[in-house]
């Protein structure tokens, strides 16, 4: 009874994450015009969602950054120690599995590396307590979903003093 239909469509790439509210300094026009603005920078991405991690990695690589991507801070620490190179910046999700949060992970990693690595915390929740704690820890906060250009411009600004040839 009835009819049966089949439709075949080519597979498309997932759409880029749209831009909502952000808590970070704006980029200049010259930064926006430079597609390789993170050239030579090493960015550590800590994101437990494989699709988000992959999207962030692709975005940063297209901007010229070397990316170390991990699903947890344990993996991130192992990757940083294996390469014997501290990242130029850390880009971390706030909510991570196993009761870990990005803010404490950033602070722990900074302690192990012995350096105050610039960091951005990505979060879908923006409580006053979290913003205050991030500010006290020297981290910027971007709300999810964060605009790709905002992520790039914020990372470029945070790592402006880093050695691009490293």
């Amino acid at each position: 009874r009835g009819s049966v239909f089949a439709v075949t469509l080519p597979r498309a790439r997932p759409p880029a994450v749209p831009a909502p509210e952000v808590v970070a300094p704006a980029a200049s026009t010259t930064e926006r015009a430079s597609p390789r603005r993170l050239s030579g920078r090493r960015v550590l991405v800590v994101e437990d969602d494989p699709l988000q991690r992959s999207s962030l990695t692709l975005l940063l690589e297209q901007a010229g950054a070397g990316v170390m991507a991990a699903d947890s801070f344990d993996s991130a620490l192992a990757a940083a120690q294996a390469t014997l190179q501290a990242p130029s910046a850390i880009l971390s999700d706030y909510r991570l599995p196993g009761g870990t949060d990005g803010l404490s992970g950033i602070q722990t990693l900074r302690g192990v590396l012995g350096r105050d690595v610039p960091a951005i915390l990505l979060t879908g929740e923006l409580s006053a307590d979290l913003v205050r704690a991030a500010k006290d820890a020297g981290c910027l906060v971007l709300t999810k979903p964060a605009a790709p250009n905002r992520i790039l411009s914020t990372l470029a600004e945070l790592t402006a003093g880093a050695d691009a040839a490293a």
Side-chain angles (χ1 to χ4, degrees):
R1 287 185 157 213
S3 300
V4 176
F5 296 93
V7 178
T8 305
L9 298 172
R11 201 171 259 220
R13 290 183 185 228
V17 181
E21 173 188 358
V22 175
V23 180
S28 69
T29 306
T30 55
E31 279 182 325
R32 289 186 185 127
S34 173
R36 306 289 294 171
R37 66 182 128 190
L38 294 177
S39 184
R41 306 301 193 270
R42 291 176 307 279
V43 180
L44 173 61
V45 174
V46 183
E47 170 62 67
D48 61 314
D49 181 287
L51 182 59
Q52 289 287 332
R53 189 171 55 248
S54 177
S55 296
L56 288 168
T57 298
L58 181 61
L59 173 70
L60 297 172
E61 287 175 344
Q62 288 176 341
V67 180
M68 292 183 290
D71 62 355
S72 69
F73 272 97
D74 289 338
S75 299
L77 180 57
Q81 289 174 329
T83 63
L84 300 175
Q85 294 181 336
S88 305
I90 301 168
L91 179 62
S92 176
D93 186 18
Y94 177 65
R95 291 278 177 216
L96 296 168
T100 305
D101 67 76
L103 191 55
S104 63
I106 288 167
Q107 292 171 314
T108 300
L109 189 61
R110 284 173 169 170
V112 170
L113 295 173
R115 259 184 80 205
D116 194 22
V117 180
I120 298 173
L121 196 61
L122 292 170
T123 183
E125 57 187 82
L126 199 57
S127 70
D129 290 339
L130 175 58
V131 172
R132 189 172 20 267
K135 184 178 179 183
D136 290 346
C139 296
L140 291 177
V141 176
L142 296 180
T143 57
K144 283 185 174 182
N149 200 47
R150 179 62 75 191
I151 293 170
L152 294 177
S153 62
T154 304
L155 279 169
E157 194 169 305
L158 283 176
T159 60
D163 180 12

